[in-house]
């Protein structure tokens, strides 16, 4: 990860291998306070996200894969500034931003838009589609006439392939199908003309046959608008097809990352391997050994010391419960936080210069 | 993504349900006043309001004017008779209506504003402001309202109506505030509020444009009941003589009637009109309450429209599902062959399930024939609206009362060879049959555990209900055995459901299902709500138990890749019908139906090289508006004109190699497919079955 001088302009510095990240989270930790019980003096927190570094690049899809409770949705909400980090920084185009509300949040969400998982819940049942889209347009493109707003709405709906627009704008959310609503969610996000889309499980509640259409729509928008897209999912197979970079999250920490194909085909972290072995896959050799795992993720109020996966890990060594592993670089941008890869160089030790 | 071909065509045509959206929505709120009850209520309240506003202007008689017509019964001169002073009661009533209505509505408006401010602030801001405001609300809630009002008005007897209004408002707001706070608290966490925040809406707009409109029903209901309450309170106070007894209101009339013994003179005209008015306005306001929900909720509004349309359609034609009469009528050639093939434990024959809603009927399962062989897993896959869950409920006869099974048989063959039709069982037989022979695990089952009973007790209860002869010790042992079977350590017997994870709870449900050694377990999306790793653990557990105990499974899911892994036989449902049935391996290697191919082509794969994902265009079927001919025809890449008129039957795949069947395996015995591509007599030219 190349860190950027906060004054730097968008032009990529010559020394860096890749373009500057559009949106970045650097060493971000988020703790949620647990309601104290009577006579309980300790201040307890849920360690929802711990020391996460993540960078989103224009024109690229970055996947965060994890199970429920892994903190992946919190990552999206931190990036959307709906939560403020306990420590660490959110950087937009290299500049640290803290926008808890008001005008600063409004300006920020003009750049970074969130798409939620539930196409049924993310629309207010008492308002029409036109209201939902119109609000975002009026907030982020102030001073437009009604006719301009209407035209913009029609353009947006056409961009998510819902035509003719008039057949959708006058409707209430419940009158549309799940797939249509998720397209409108995307249109709503685009209304702000953002540089970054944060998609939190955008297709997991849709029927199998229409998931692909929505994912392809997102992929096209990434290409056409040069968007940076964060794709949060529990479905590691979809990340393989859809993302450029994949990261795997476990118990609030990123445990592995790299090019999506590498992460899914040559998983380095035992947790990623477990995820892959657990996922349904008709192509897999039926005789292949099944994971013997019987445990479940740890409590995030009192997470295990050292590597958080060590109580479940089939390869756990004494060191694993004592010391949290750093990132080890496995080459080609592939890395894992696992002591099994200690022979590889810790990534931090690598010079941040261009490779041939 | 490897393909960009599909994305555009999902540009779904809006469904007919939305035909004239503008009319349905813009004037939708008017539908709230359709019901007779609401109209009656509105008329009553309106009449009183008009009397209150214009009455005193039109009545020339001064209600306080004394005359010699003492205690006259109603006559043309005195419409409602006179009082002991010869005052005209009709005039008193007209003036009294104004006071009672003004007090009622103004007090209710004030109380509602107060409860809105407190409820919304406490609910939305949370934290300290919530705690302080909730405390105040709760204090006001426990203050007994009427005594307080009596004391307050007693201390300022000549304060007039305004004081009474304020006192009533102050004592009446707390209940509404509490309800609104709770509602706001839950709305604040809803996705659409988060979406509004994420799009940069201001807090003010979020509260007033996103949250408040969703609470209109509660606000309106609170308002109306406060109006009734305030009118009653005012009447009580006046009746007790706590207001100025010369300012006419309904209560004051009653006060005079009481103090002057109207009852003993038989002067009914004196106390009946005010009493009746109070009762009437109360009734009117309550009736209006009925219409509020529909008035406000757009979903309920259009639900009304849909029902009406369906009614019209039903009147016009009998074929309500939109399917034409089938051109080919021949019993699906399924059952008999299958039964002969082996040890069939459950056989479904030509099963239909209709949902009745209002006057319309939706056929959710349409002529399904399937058979389940002993010790195997039959997988049923489909999207929402395919009828797969309805099928599961029908097999277990747990379908809702709105569902009807017009035709079909579900034949169960017990281990001793006795065959019974589940659909013809009496309720008693059915109770024995369920759990003993056939057990069920549903997706939501893990939330069906009783939260206040230990899991051990709940399993024991299931056993005790069916095995009353078992001793308590035997039952305990059985519980321990079952828990070990599903991989829960026996020391968790005393755990409560909330102490277990979702996966653990689903294991408990499986333990309950296994408790009586059933022959068949029906599982409807048993792992869908669970994470991949937990899902894998549970599936492996089920398969291991199945091999050990020898039961058969009907496994219903939308997750085709999981199904291919675990099922022996797979049936694909679309719009209530089975479109393909085959062994899992044949199905995966060579799906025959274009829909099956689309499904297989929708799944990203994990191992092996990446393949092109083709997907399926369009959206899942709407059972209320199925196309004619093959239901899949609007989404089918190989559609021909004939598909749009002729409905394909589920027939065995022809053995002769056809250009469309890519692998020889597809023709292996057992594969059945409902597609005209394989059923036309002429060589299928259309069968450029497009697999890319």
């Amino acid at each position: 990860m190349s860190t950027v001088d906060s004054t730097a302009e968008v032009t990529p510095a010559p020394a860096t291998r890749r373009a500057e990240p559009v949106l970045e989270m650097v060493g971000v930790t988020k703790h949620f306070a647990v309601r104290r019980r009577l006579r309980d003096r300790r201040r307890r927190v849920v360690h929802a996200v711990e020391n996460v570094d993540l960078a989103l690049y224009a024109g690229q899809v970055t996947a965060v894969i994890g199970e429920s409770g892994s903190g992946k949705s919190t990552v999206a909400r931190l990036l959307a500034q709906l939560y403020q980090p306990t420590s660490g920084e959110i950087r937009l185009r290299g500049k640290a931003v803290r926008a808890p509300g008001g005008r600063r949040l409004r300006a920020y969400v003009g750049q970074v838009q969130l798409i939620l998982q539930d196409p049924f819940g993310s629309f207010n049942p008492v308002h029409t589609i036109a209201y939902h889209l119109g609000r975002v347009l009026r907030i982020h493109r102030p001073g437009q006439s009604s006719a301009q707003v209407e035209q913009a709405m029609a353009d947006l709906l056409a961009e998510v392939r819902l035509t003719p627009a008039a057949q959708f704008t006058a409707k209430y959310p419940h009158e549309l199908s799940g797939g249509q609503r998720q397209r409108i969610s995307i249109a709503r996000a685009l209304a702000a003309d953002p540089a970054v889309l944060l998609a939190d499980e955008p297709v997991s509640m849709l029927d199998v046959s229409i998931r692909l259409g929505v994912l392809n729509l997102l992929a096209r928008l990434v290409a056409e608008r040069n968007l940076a897209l964060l794709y949060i999912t529990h479905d590691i197979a979809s990340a393989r097809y859809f993302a450029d970079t994949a990261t795997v999250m476990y118990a609030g920490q990123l445990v592995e990352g790299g090019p999506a194909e590498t992460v899914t085909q040559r998983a380095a972290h035992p947790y990623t391997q477990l995820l892959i072995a657990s996922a349904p896959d008709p192509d897999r050799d039926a005789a292949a050994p099944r994971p013997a795992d019987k445990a479940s993720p740890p409590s995030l109020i009192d997470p295990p010391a050292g590597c958080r996966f060590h109580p479940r890990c089939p390869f756990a060594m004494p060191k694993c419960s004592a010391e949290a592993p750093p990132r080890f670089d496995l080459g080609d941008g592939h890395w894992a936080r696992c002591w099994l890869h200690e022979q590889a160089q810790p990534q931090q030790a690598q010079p941040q210069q261009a490779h041939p | 993504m490897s393909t960009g071909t599909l994305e555009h065509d999902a540009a779904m045509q809006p469904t007919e349900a939305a035909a004239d959206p503008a009319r349905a929505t813009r004037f939708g709120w008017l539908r709230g006043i359709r019901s007779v009850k609401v109209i009656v209520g509105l008329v009553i309240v309106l009449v009183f309001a008009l009397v209150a506003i214009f009455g005193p202007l039109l009545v020339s008689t001064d209600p306080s004017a004394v005359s010699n017509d003492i205690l006259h019964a109603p006559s043309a001169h005195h419409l409602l008779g006179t009082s002991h002073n010869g005052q005209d009661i009709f005039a008193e009533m007209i003036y009294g209506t104004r006071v009672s209505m003004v007090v009622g509505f103004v007090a209710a408006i004030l109380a509602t504003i107060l409860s809105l401010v407190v409820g919304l602030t406490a609910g939305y801001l949370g934290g300290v402001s919530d705690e302080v405001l909730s405390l105040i609300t709760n204090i006001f809630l426990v203050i007994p309202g009427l005594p307080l009002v009596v004391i307050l008005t007693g201390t300022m007897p000549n304060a007039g109506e305004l004081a009474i209004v304020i006192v009533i408002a102050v004592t009446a707001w707390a209940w509404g505030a509490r309800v609104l706070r709770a509602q706001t608290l839950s709305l604040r966490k809803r996705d659409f509020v988060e979406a509004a925040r994420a799009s940069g809406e201001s807090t003010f707009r979020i509260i007033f444009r996103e949250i408040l409109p969703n609470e209109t029903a509660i606000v309106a209901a609170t308002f109306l009941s406060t109006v009734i309450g305030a009118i009653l309170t005012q009447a009580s106070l006046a009746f007790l003589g706590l207001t100025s007894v010369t300012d006419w209101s309904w209560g004051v009339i009653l006060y005079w009637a009481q103090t002057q013994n109207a009852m003993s003179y038989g002067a009914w005209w004196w106390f009946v009109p005010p009493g009746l008015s109070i009762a009437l306005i109360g009734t009117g306001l309550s009736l209006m309450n009925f219409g509020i929900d529909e008035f406000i909720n757009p979903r309920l509004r259009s639900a009304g429209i849909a029902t009406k349309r369906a009614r019209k359609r039903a009147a016009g034609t009998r074929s309500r599902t939109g399917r034409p009469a089938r051109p080919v009528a021949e019993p699906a050639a399924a059952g008999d062959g299958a039964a002969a093939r082996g040890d069939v434990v459950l056989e479904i024959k030509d099963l239909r399930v209709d949902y009745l809603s209002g006057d319309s009927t939706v056929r959710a399962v349409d002529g399904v024939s399937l058979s389940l062989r002993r010790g195997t897993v039959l997988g049923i896959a489909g999207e929402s609206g395919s009828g797969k869950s309805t099928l599961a409920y029908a097999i277990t006869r747990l379908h809702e009362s709105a569902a009807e099974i017009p035709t079909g048989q579900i034949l169960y063959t017990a281990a001793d060879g006795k065959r019974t039709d589940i659909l013809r069982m009496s309720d008693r037989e059915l109770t024995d049959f369920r759990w003993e022979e056939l057990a069920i695990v549903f997706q939501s089952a893990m939330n069906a555990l009783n939260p206040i009973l230990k899991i051990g007790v709940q399993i024991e209860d299931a056993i005790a209900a069916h095995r009353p002869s078992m001793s308590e010790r035997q039952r305990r042992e059985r519980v321990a055995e079952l828990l070990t079977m599903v991989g829960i350590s026996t020391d968790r017997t005393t755990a409560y459901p909330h102490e277990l994870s979702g996966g653990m709870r689903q294991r408990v449900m499986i333990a309950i299902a296994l408790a009586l050694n059933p022959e068949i377990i029906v599982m409807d999306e048993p792992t869908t709500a669970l994470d991949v790793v937990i899902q894998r653990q549970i599936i492996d557990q089920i398969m291991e138990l199945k091999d050990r105990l020898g039961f058969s499974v009907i496994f219903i899911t939308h997750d085709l890749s999981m199904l291919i892994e675990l099922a022996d036989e797979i049936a694909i449902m679309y719009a209530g019908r089975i479109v393909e049935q085959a062994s899992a391996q044949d199905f995966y290697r060579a799906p025959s139906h274009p829909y099956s191919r689309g499904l297989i082509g929708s799944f990203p794969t994990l191992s092996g090289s990446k393949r092109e994902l083709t997907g399926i265009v369009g959206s899942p079927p709407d059972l209320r508006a199925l196309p004619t001919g093959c239901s899949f025809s609007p989404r089918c890449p190989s559609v021909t004109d004939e598909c749009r008129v002729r409905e394909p039957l589920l027939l065995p795949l022809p053995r002769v190699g056809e250009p469309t069947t890519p692998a020889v395996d597809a023709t292996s015995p057992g594969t059945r497919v409902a597609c005209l591509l394989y059923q036309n007599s002429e060589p299928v030219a259309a069968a450029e079955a497009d697999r890319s």
Side-chain angles (χ1 to χ4, degrees):
Chain A
M1 306 286 109
S2 57
T3 42
V4 184
D5 183 349
S6 59
T7 56
E9 269 311 313
V10 200
T11 39
T16 45
R17 185 162 57 132
R18 305 168 85 174
E20 308 295 331
V22 184
L23 188 64
E24 213 181 346
M25 131 184 251
V26 183
V28 167
T29 294
K30 178 67 184 174
H31 293 168
F32 291 105
V34 181
R35 263 207 143 173
R36 253 182 282 181
R37 289 193 202 138
L38 225 56
R39 287 182 311 199
D40 185 0
R41 288 291 140 132
R42 286 172 306 151
R43 199 173 156 268
R44 302 194 305 165
V45 294
V46 176
H47 301 248
V49 166
E50 203 84 70
N51 193 22
V52 164
D53 297 311
L54 190 66
L56 309 179
Y57 296 89
Q60 292 217 17
V61 180
T62 305
V64 173
I65 303 153
E67 295 181 271
S68 52
S70 63
K72 59 188 193 302
S73 289
T74 309
V75 165
R77 278 156 186 74
L78 284 163
L79 285 171
Q81 300 268 1
L82 291 177
Y83 298 151
Q84 291 305 314
T86 308
S87 65
E89 275 182 2
I90 309 286
R91 291 184 195 153
L92 180 62
R93 299 215 167 83
K95 253 182 220 162
V97 186
R98 211 177 162 83
R103 202 160 291 156
R104 269 191 295 170
L105 179 62
R106 208 171 249 216
Y108 183 84
V109 299
Q111 295 290 303
V112 181
Q113 279 280 316
L114 179 67
I115 298 167
L116 295 169
Q117 171 184 17
D118 182 0
F120 301 87
S122 54
F123 289 95
N124 194 333
V126 306
H127 293 311
T128 58
I129 300 307
Y131 176 88
H132 284 101
L133 290 176
R135 278 309 301 161
V136 185
L137 286 168
R138 291 202 168 82
I139 291 172
H140 295 287
R141 305 182 197 171
Q144 288 202 326
S145 70
S146 302
Q148 282 173 309
V149 169
E150 213 146 287
Q151 185 54 46
M153 246 187 250
D155 293 345
L156 284 169
L157 287 173
E159 200 168 352
V160 296
R161 303 286 191 254
L162 292 176
T163 46
Q167 278 183 306
F168 295 93
T169 47
K171 294 233 176 91
Y172 284 95
H174 71 270
E175 296 173 292
L176 302 174
S177 72
Q180 290 168 338
R181 264 180 281 193
Q182 203 58 312
R183 282 165 186 268
I184 290 171
S185 285
I186 296 170
R188 170 165 66 177
L190 294 179
D193 199 14
V196 181
L197 281 186
L198 310 168
D200 186 5
E201 302 244 23
V203 297
S204 69
M205 290 183 77
L206 301 180
D207 266 312
V208 176
S209 72
I210 50 181
R211 282 183 192 172
L212 194 59
V214 172
L215 285 181
N216 282 342
L217 165 65
L218 285 170
R220 175 171 60 80
L221 293 172
V222 166
E224 283 180 8
R225 288 177 166 243
N226 202 27
L227 289 169
L229 180 77
L230 176 70
Y231 174 58
I232 293 197
T233 184
H234 65 272
D235 179 4
I236 192 166
S238 76
R240 178 190 181 200
Y241 276 72
F242 181 55
D244 301 297
T245 310
T247 51
V248 179
M249 198 158 182
Y250 181 76
Q253 294 173 326
L254 292 184
V255 295
E256 178 167 1
E261 188 66 12
T262 314
V263 170
T264 52
Q265 298 308 301
R266 294 200 307 274
H269 196 284
Y271 175 64
T272 317
Q273 292 163 359
L274 173 66
L275 265 188
I276 290 172
S278 300
D281 180 8
D283 279 333
R284 191 177 17 232
D285 185 4
R290 287 268 185 249
D293 181 75
K294 293 255 166 178
S296 42
S299 151
L300 293 183
I301 296 181
D302 200 9
C307 169
R308 288 185 179 179
F309 188 63
H310 84 259
R312 291 172 82 179
C313 184
F315 311 107
M317 306 174 282
K319 192 174 191 178
C320 298
S321 51
E323 205 180 327
R327 278 187 179 199
F328 293 108
D329 192 355
L330 308 171
D332 278 337
H334 187 198
W335 58 267
R337 278 182 198 275
C338 176
W339 288 117
L340 291 176
H341 303 283
E342 198 179 357
Q343 73 283 3
Q345 299 273 349
Q347 205 182 26
Q348 280 84 342
Q350 289 248 320
Q352 297 185 343
Q353 272 145 23
H355 294 279
Chain B
M1 197 122 250
S2 53
T3 160
T5 55
L6 169 74
E7 176 248 310
H8 62 281
D9 28 38
M12 308 121 184
Q13 303 319 314
T15 48
E16 79 330 326
D20 40 359
R23 264 185 71 205
T25 53
R26 204 156 303 156
F27 300 107
W29 58 273
L30 278 173
R31 311 193 61 85
I33 54 177
R34 264 173 328 164
S35 117
V36 181
K37 282 188 253 179
V38 180
I39 292 171
V40 172
L42 260 176
V43 168
I44 294 175
V45 175
L46 227 102
V47 167
F48 276 103
L50 289 176
V51 169
I53 297 168
F54 300 109
L57 307 175
L58 301 176
V59 176
S60 49
T61 326
D62 177 359
S64 303
V66 180
S67 77
N68 291 326
D69 303 341
I70 288 167
L71 286 178
H72 277 204
S75 64
H77 192 57
H78 298 290
L79 284 177
L80 288 175
T82 59
S83 70
H84 67 297
N85 284 331
Q87 290 155 323
D88 185 67
I89 292 178
F90 181 73
E92 290 177 7
M93 277 301 297
I94 299 292
Y95 279 83
T97 303
R98 177 180 274 185
V99 172
S100 294
M101 295 289 280
V102 165
V103 170
F105 278 90
V106 174
I109 289 170
L110 286 180
T112 308
I113 291 174
L114 256 175
S115 49
L116 270 176
V117 170
V118 174
L120 285 174
T121 319
Y124 191 77
L125 296 182
V128 181
S129 40
D130 180 25
E131 279 177 27
V132 172
L133 289 172
S134 293
L135 186 70
I136 296 174
T137 310
N138 288 339
I139 290 172
F140 270 89
L141 267 179
V142 295
I143 292 174
L146 195 60
L148 177 71
V149 173
V150 169
I151 292 166
L152 286 176
T153 44
T155 54
M156 36 180 183
N158 297 314
E161 309 301 347
L162 183 67
I164 292 184
V165 163
I166 290 172
V167 168
I168 293 175
V170 165
T171 51
W173 64 272
W175 183 79
R178 194 154 125 158
V179 174
L180 286 173
R181 172 194 166 263
Q183 190 73 11
T184 309
L185 214 56
S186 82
L187 283 169
R188 186 181 64 147
K189 292 185 192 126
R190 294 276 292 277
D191 279 358
F192 64 80
V193 173
E194 186 158 52
R197 282 183 64 206
S199 65
E201 285 280 22
S202 66
T203 308
F204 182 83
R205 270 196 89 100
I206 288 176
I207 292 181
F208 287 99
R209 294 291 284 155
E210 304 291 338
I211 292 181
L212 189 56
N214 278 292
E215 294 175 341
T216 325
I218 296 177
V219 174
T222 318
F223 174 76
L224 291 182
S225 58
T226 318
V227 174
I228 302 176
I231 289 175
L232 275 174
T233 312
Q234 194 273 342
S236 322
L237 291 173
F239 177 71
L240 294 171
L242 292 170
T243 63
S244 158
V245 293
T246 51
D247 284 345
W248 294 106
S249 69
W250 296 339
V252 168
I253 301 173
L254 287 170
Y255 166 78
W256 285 113
Q258 159 75 11
T259 51
Q260 301 304 319
N261 294 321
M263 195 82 90
S264 56
Y265 295 121
W268 56 267
W269 56 87
W270 200 350
F271 53 83
V272 167
L276 204 63
S277 297
I278 292 171
L280 257 179
I281 185 87
T283 314
L285 290 166
S286 308
L287 286 175
M288 275 174 71
N289 241 334
F290 282 105
I292 286 176
D293 262 341
E294 212 172 320
F295 191 77
I296 277 138
N297 190 331
R299 177 176 300 196
L300 289 179
R301 276 183 231 153
S302 52
I305 295 173
T307 324
K308 210 165 167 194
R309 267 204 202 128
R311 220 172 280 154
K312 261 192 213 147
R313 202 150 28 115
T317 160
R318 296 297 339 155
S319 125
R320 300 171 188 151
T321 52
R323 283 182 196 277
R326 296 201 230 162
V328 208
E330 179 198 329
D336 300 352
R341 203 166 49 201
D343 194 6
V344 172
V345 64
L346 193 78
E347 189 175 357
I348 303 167
K349 283 185 174 175
D350 195 30
L351 183 73
R352 270 151 227 247
V353 184
D354 291 340
Y355 277 109
L356 313 170
S357 72
D359 292 334
S360 67
T361 309
V362 170
R363 180 149 293 170
V365 173
D366 191 5
V368 164
S369 298
L370 276 175
S371 48
L372 170 67
R373 272 172 296 143
R374 218 174 282 281
T376 63
V377 179
L378 169 64
I380 300 176
E383 298 177 85
S384 54
S386 64
K388 58 187 193 307
S389 285
T390 308
L391 180 63
Y393 282 98
I395 292 171
T396 54
R397 272 184 64 187
L398 287 169
H399 52 277
E400 299 164 49
S401 54
E404 203 183 69
I405 303 182
T407 68
Q409 281 181 306
I410 303 175
L411 297 169
Y412 169 71
T413 311
D416 59 10
K418 213 179 115 219
R419 269 160 78 103
T420 27
D421 185 352
I422 298 177
L423 294 178
R424 299 215 165 22
M425 282 182 182
S426 69
D427 287 349
R428 238 211 97 80
E429 287 172 312
L430 195 62
T431 318
D432 288 341
F433 175 75
R434 278 191 210 135
W435 301 117
E436 292 267 5
E437 313 285 336
L438 179 145
I440 310 131
V441 180
F442 288 129
Q443 176 181 359
S444 52
M446 57 186 180
N447 302 320
L449 289 167
N450 187 332
I452 57 166
L453 289 180
K454 294 169 183 163
I455 57 162
V457 175
Q458 301 196 43
I459 303 176
E460 241 180 90
D461 283 350
I463 302 172
H466 287 266
R467 301 260 193 283
S469 58
M470 243 178 161
S471 77
E472 207 180 322
R473 231 196 81 212
Q474 285 173 306
R475 281 208 302 267
R476 288 258 167 80
E477 280 166 10
R478 179 68 179 150
V479 169
E481 188 187 355
L482 286 167
L483 286 178
T484 319
M485 249 189 231
V486 296
I488 299 179
S489 85
T490 46
D491 56 6
R492 311 289 338 238
T493 317
T494 52
Y496 288 97
H498 74 268
E499 296 171 315
L500 303 176
S501 66
M504 283 292 176
R505 288 203 296 270
Q506 196 61 295
R507 284 168 192 270
V508 172
M509 290 312 297
I510 293 170
I512 294 178
L514 292 172
L516 302 162
N517 281 325
E519 284 287 329
I520 304 170
I521 301 185
V522 176
M523 299 190 176
D524 184 9
E525 307 259 9
T527 58
T528 301
L530 303 172
D531 277 320
V532 220
V533 179
I534 312 287
Q535 167 176 309
R536 166 65 60 196
Q537 292 169 5
I538 290 186
I539 298 286
D540 285 352
Q541 187 92 59
I542 294 172
M543 297 314 277
E544 190 250 321
L545 288 169
K546 184 207 70 150
D547 290 344
R548 184 141 60 96
L549 305 173
F551 54 81
S552 329
V553 180
I554 295 183
F555 199 102
I556 295 169
T557 180
H558 69 276
D559 188 343
L560 198 56
S561 29
M562 183 168 83
L563 210 54
I564 290 167
E565 262 190 66
L566 68 89
D568 299 296
E569 189 96 348
I570 283 184
I572 304 292
M573 282 189 82
Y574 189 82
R577 304 179 153 224
I578 292 179
V579 295
E580 180 161 0
Q581 189 190 0
S583 80
Q585 278 320 305
D586 288 350
F587 177 81
Y588 182 54
R589 264 176 288 160
S592 304
H593 198 283
Y595 177 60
S596 312
R597 283 188 226 141
L599 280 180
I600 298 264
S602 297
F603 278 100
T605 51
L606 253 180
S607 45
S609 55
K610 277 202 216 177
R611 62 164 180 230
E612 193 184 6
L613 298 181
T614 47
I616 305 173
V617 303
S619 37
D622 178 357
L623 291 177
R624 288 164 305 177
L626 288 178
T628 55
C630 172
S631 305
F632 186 62
S633 58
R635 303 174 74 185
C636 184
S638 324
V639 66
T640 64
D641 287 341
E642 201 186 357
C643 300
R644 298 197 176 93
V645 286
R646 211 177 102 192
E647 209 168 335
L649 294 176
L650 185 63
L651 297 172
L653 199 64
R655 277 164 182 280
V656 229
E658 273 199 346
T660 50
T661 44
V664 210
D665 284 330
T667 57
S668 68
T671 298
R672 292 186 295 151
V673 58
C675 180
L676 294 180
L677 284 178
Y678 307 97
Q679 289 167 21
N680 277 348
S681 43
E682 55 269 306
V684 199
E688 217 4 281
D690 66 280
R691 313 200 18 146
S692 21

